Amino acid sequence: PKTPKTKLEKESAQRLIVVLEKASLETVKAGNSYELLNCDDHAHILRKHKREPADCRPDICHQMLLTLMDSPLSKSGKLQVYIHTETNILIEVSPHVRIPRTYKRFAGLMVQLLHKLKIRAANGPETLLKVIKNPIEAHLPASATRLGTSKTGDLVNIREWVAASVPADRPIVFALGAMAHGKAEVDYVDRYLSFS
């Protein structure tokens, strides 16, 4: 799929940019190696540091990435995904990446990314995942419509809303919460929606 390269293409191409907010991607030393902190394998560490187990759910981010990257929108080259972690790390996901199907492999990949700051393709020079500089606003097109999702947002029927509101000449940004509960409140969003 052809991805927009120039600034003009990024500003005017019809595409969807998804930012997975408050993703729980954090490494922890377990024995001699590092692992992705999660509520199932590291309950003792969470108790020791008085942290809520529901706040350490990297499996949510994994499932969201699998769903997004398998979508027809992604296959057609009209999807760009960013991950913004709870610890304020910003990750750019290449449209050409294949997210590991199993959680264990995904966790290993994320640990490698968080330590080396980028993941390259095995058979070429392309960077598939990389840690990029904050803030997220610097990477979003200025002309984009910026939306968030929340159960307290404006209630809309998704099919009717898409038919009436999706512009043909500029991108749309969606901020989605990649956490177990709560609202992903971010200051770059213009309007919050709730889908029926």
Side-chain angles (χ1 to χ4, degrees):
K2 186 183 182 299
T3 52
K5 298 257 191 290
T6 66
K7 187 166 175 53
L8 181 68
E9 283 177 352
K10 287 181 180 178
E11 289 286 337
S12 62
Q14 184 187 34
R15 62 194 181 115
L16 177 66
I17 300 165
V18 175
V19 184
L20 301 181
E21 284 290 344
K22 295 191 177 180
S24 175
L25 299 175
E26 189 177 339
T27 59
V28 64
K29 191 162 175 68
N32 297 337
S33 63
Y34 285 91
E35 294 177 2
L36 198 60
L37 182 66
N38 69 76
C39 59
D40 297 326
D41 302 333
H42 307 107
H44 59 286
I45 294 171
L46 297 173
R47 273 195 303 274
K48 183 173 148 187
H49 294 287
K50 295 181 175 58
R51 289 181 60 181
E52 194 63 41
D55 294 340
C56 297
R57 295 279 310 276
D59 57 300
I60 295 171
C61 183
H62 179 226
Q63 286 303 315
M64 290 178 89
L65 277 174
L66 284 173
T67 305
L68 286 166
M69 300 316 277
D70 287 346
S71 70
L73 205 58
S74 177
K75 304 271 190 258
S76 67
K78 292 181 183 267
L79 177 70
Q80 172 66 58
V81 179
Y82 293 97
I83 303 169
H84 193 204
T85 70
E86 195 118 43
T87 53
N88 203 26
I89 295 169
L90 188 59
I91 300 165
E92 182 179 15
V93 181
S94 164
H96 304 113
V97 74
R98 282 177 53 215
I99 301 298
R101 295 275 161 211
T102 64
Y103 171 75
K104 194 173 179 183
R105 284 192 177 162
F106 170 78
L109 185 72
M110 287 298 126
V111 168
Q112 187 182 347
L113 171 66
L114 292 169
H115 285 247
K116 294 188 175 176
L117 306 181
K118 66 168 62 173
I119 302 287
R120 286 214 164 103
N123 55 356
E126 189 182 11
T127 302
L128 300 176
L129 295 163
K130 69 178 170 185
V131 174
I132 55 177
K133 205 169 154 190
N134 274 311
I136 181 66
E137 291 93 323
H139 304 280
L140 301 177
S143 64
T145 305
R146 298 173 183 197
L147 303 164
T149 55
S150 166
K151 65 180 179 184
T152 60
D154 304 331
L155 184 64
V156 295
N157 178 305
I158 186 73
R159 292 189 191 283
E160 291 171 10
W161 182 85
V162 167
S165 306
V166 175
D169 59 342
R170 59 179 192 196
I172 290 185
V173 176
F174 260 108
L176 304 177
M179 67 278 191
H181 49 75
K183 181 179 177 182
E185 289 219 23
V186 286
D187 48 7
Y188 60 85
V189 166
D190 304 324
R191 180 182 174 202
Y192 283 94
L193 299 178
S194 177
F195 300 119
S196 66

